[in-house]
Amino acid sequence: MVEDELALFDKSINEFWNKFKSTVSDTSCQMVGLRDTYKDSIKAFAEKLAVKLKEEERMVEMFLEYQNQICRQNKLTQEKKENVLKLIAEVKDKKQDLDALTADIQDLKEEYARKRETISTANKAKEERLKRLQKSADLYTGRVGLEIRKIYGDKLQFLFTNIDPKHPESLFMFSLSLNEARDYEVSDSAPHFECLAEFQENVRKTNNFLAFLANVWKAFTAIVYN
């Protein structure tokens, strides 16, 4: 009985040992397979990670380049904006200068028109006065040998003859013009007589040119007889 039990125990031990060895052998194979699979997975993951890192590096580089482009564009935009503002300011200044120049030109035109009108009016008045002078002188031409000549500076020269009975052809003369105030200006009397200034003042006050001519003729006659 003991021998049978020992044989059975020995058999059981052998079976357990065989199963244990079989189990350990299978586990070792599985561990080796898992290790190889793990290595392959790690290698694949590392490769994918390397590719991903390179892609991310490229993305970072692209982002930095994009930022640099944006900075350059912003700088160019700011410079263009400043140039535009400067041009606008210059245009405004030039427009103000142009407006001022236009206003000055308009003022000059208006002033020129006023002066031209004033000159035209003065010339008309001068012509009318000279016509009256000529008309008044014509009355004396036949009677006292009066001749009127237009000389330099818009002056009229009055020449009398037939004053000196002994020398009827002797000339007695004076010049007449209009000054800036449109008043009579008598000058160049030959022969000279003292009351010429008085006669000039009277004709300015009365505007009676016939009386003025008569007074001048009388003064010349008085010189002859005195």
Side-chain angles (χ1 to χ4, degrees), residues 78-91:
Q78 184 63 29
E79 291 177 354
K80 290 181 179 179
K81 180 180 178 181
E82 292 175 356
N83 290 333
V84 169
L85 292 176
K86 184 178 179 180
L87 288 174
I88 291 174
E90 290 177 355
V91 169

Side-chain angles (χ1 to χ4, degrees), residues 100-113:
L101 180 60
T102 302
D104 291 340
I105 292 174
Q106 184 62 30
D107 291 341
L108 289 174
K109 285 182 178 180
E110 293 176 357
E111 183 179 357
Y112 173 75

Side-chain angles (χ1 to χ4, degrees), residues 5-225:
E5 291 179 356
L6 288 173
L8 182 63
F9 177 76
D10 184 60
K11 183 179 179 181
S12 298
I13 291 297
N14 287 330
E15 289 177 357
F16 172 78
W17 176 250
N18 290 330
K19 288 183 179 179
F20 175 76
K21 288 196 297 182
S22 177
T23 301
V24 169
S25 177
D26 292 340
T27 302
S28 297
C29 293
Q30 291 177 357
M31 290 295 292
V32 171
L34 289 174
R35 182 188 64 186
D36 293 340
T37 302
Y38 176 75
K39 287 182 178 180
D40 293 339
S41 298
I42 291 298
K43 183 178 180 181
F45 177 75
E47 291 176 353
K48 290 182 180 180
L49 182 61
V51 172
K52 187 65 175 178
L53 288 175
K54 289 183 179 179
E55 291 178 353
E56 289 182 356
E57 287 178 357
R58 287 196 297 270
M59 290 296 293
V60 170
E61 290 176 356
M62 292 176 62
F63 177 75
L64 293 176
E65 179 62 24
Y66 178 73
Q67 275 191 329
N68 291 333
Q69 290 181 0
I70 292 296
C71 290
R72 289 194 293 269
Q73 289 293 333
N74 289 339
K75 184 177 180 180
L76 291 175
T77 301
Q78 184 63 29
E79 291 177 354
K80 290 181 179 179
K81 180 180 178 181
E82 292 175 356
N83 290 333
V84 169
L85 292 176
K86 184 178 179 180
L87 288 174
I88 291 174
E90 290 177 355
V91 169
K92 287 183 178 179
D93 292 339
K94 290 181 179 179
K95 185 178 184 302
Q96 291 176 353
D97 294 340
L98 180 61
D99 292 341
L101 180 60
T102 302
D104 291 340
I105 292 174
Q106 184 62 30
D107 291 341
L108 289 174
K109 285 182 178 180
E110 293 176 357
E111 183 179 357
Y112 173 75
R114 289 192 298 269
K115 288 184 176 180
R116 184 174 61 180
E117 184 178 358
T118 300
I119 292 173
S120 177
T121 302
N123 287 336
K124 288 180 181 180
K126 182 178 178 180
E127 290 176 2
E128 291 295 327
R129 185 168 287 189
L130 290 176
K131 286 180 181 180
R132 289 197 299 270
L133 292 176
Q134 185 66 49
K135 184 177 180 181
S136 299
D138 289 343
L139 297 175
Y140 283 84
T141 300
R143 295 173 57 185
V144 296
L146 175 62
E147 181 183 355
I148 303 175
R149 298 175 183 173
K150 187 174 182 180
I151 59 175
Y152 63 92
D154 289 334
K155 285 186 177 182
L156 294 178
Q157 188 179 55
F158 292 76
L159 302 96
F160 292 91
T161 57
N162 299 329
I163 289 181
D164 187 350
K166 295 180 180 181
H167 305 283
E169 72 280 0
S170 296
L171 292 176
F172 296 78
M173 67 185 72
F174 70 91
S175 298
L176 183 72
S177 62
L178 297 176
N179 60 23
E180 294 181 357
R182 322 313 302 164
D183 291 328
Y184 292 112
E185 193 79 31
V186 183
S187 61
D188 304 327
S189 173
H192 179 74
F193 55 93
E194 296 296 333
C195 54
L196 184 61
E198 180 183 348
F199 292 165
Q200 174 181 277
E201 188 65 25
N202 288 335
V203 74
R204 287 181 178 180
K205 291 179 179 179
T206 65
N207 204 29
N208 189 340
F209 192 71
L210 287 175
F212 169 74
L213 286 179
N215 289 331
V216 172
W217 182 83
K218 290 177 182 178
F220 284 147
T221 301
I223 291 174
V224 171
Y225 287 101

